[in-house]
Amino acid sequence: MSWASPDEIFLSTSLASYLDKKLLVLLRDGRKLLGILRSFDQFANAVLEGACERVIVGDLYCDIPLGLYVIRGENVVLIGELDLEREELPPHMTRVSAAEIRRAQKAERDATDLKGSMRKRMEFLDLD
Amino acid sequence: MLFFSYFKDLVGREVTVELKNDLAIRGTLHSVDQYLNIKLENTRVVDQDKYPHMLSVRNCFIRGSVVRYVQLPPDGVDIDLLHDATRREARGG
């Protein structure tokens, strides 16, 4: 996204077309942020206004408001333009409160940890 | 520069971009830049059920640093042209 040379002037991947649009930003740590893009630069650093984090656990989801966010570009995986004419999420998903989604996240984490520890114990047995 | 030029020639073709986080997105290559950042249009996520948050995303910008693979149509490659360009680039470097 640096200044394009004359023959590249019409082919530049710029986030300019996404300015002032509501976007979905996927981060490297798996977080999903939604917000309106107000600024960006050549590193894909971005400023999101009215940002919220959409936490999804199974069929439950919750949007946690964050406010004005500056995202460092190295953490950005993908920036997606949300089609306003389509549903953002499948209909079977249920919106819950922040407290409930945190509980669901913890339950999911505990289940994963348990699976991990069980696997470690099984590996000790050296069955294969 | 070689791959940048190569991808420029593929603009308008249907590709599947597989990311390092295992997300795979199929779409039309809209544009590419010197960092090999990719813009896709008319996107569909492979294995949509696993990524419900991507349901309404139809266009996206993908940071070049997170791409693992770009899967191309079989006729998207002129092998001989690519070989020549590679040899030229290797000689010059």
Side-chain angles (χ1 to χ4, degrees), chain A residues 2 11 14 17 79 81 83, chain B residues 8 34 39 56 59 61:
Chain A
S2 60
L11 190 77
S14 170
S17 64
I79 298 181
E81 190 183 340
D83 188 348
Chain B
K8 272 199 288 186
Q34 53 170 312
K39 247 183 165 178
S56 74
N59 306 318
F61 164 91

Side-chain angles (χ1 to χ4, degrees), chain B residues 7-65:
Chain B
F7 281 129
K8 272 199 288 186
D9 291 338
L10 284 174
V11 165
R13 305 295 300 271
E14 179 107 325
V15 298
T16 301
V17 181
E18 181 175 325
L19 308 181
K20 290 178 184 172
N21 66 358
D22 294 342
L23 175 63
I25 306 169
R26 189 169 183 77
T28 312
L29 186 63
H30 173 270
S31 55
V32 68
D33 66 13
Q34 53 170 312
Y35 305 110
L36 302 187
N37 294 329
I38 290 169
K39 247 183 165 178
L40 293 180
E41 299 212 313
N42 235 318
T43 57
R44 287 281 187 286
V45 169
V46 173
D47 203 358
Q48 178 76 62
D49 299 327
K50 201 169 168 215
Y51 305 100
H53 50 280
M54 296 286 300
L55 188 64
S56 74
V57 174
R58 284 294 166 267
N59 306 318
C60 63
F61 164 91
I62 300 170
R63 203 173 191 267
S65 60

Side-chain angles (χ1 to χ4, degrees), chain A residues 5-23:
Chain A
S5 69
D7 52 286
E8 292 163 357
I9 205 102
F10 296 114
L11 190 77
S12 187
T13 294
S14 170
L15 286 170
S17 64
Y18 288 179
L19 278 174
D20 301 327
K21 291 210 168 109
K22 185 178 180 191
L23 305 172

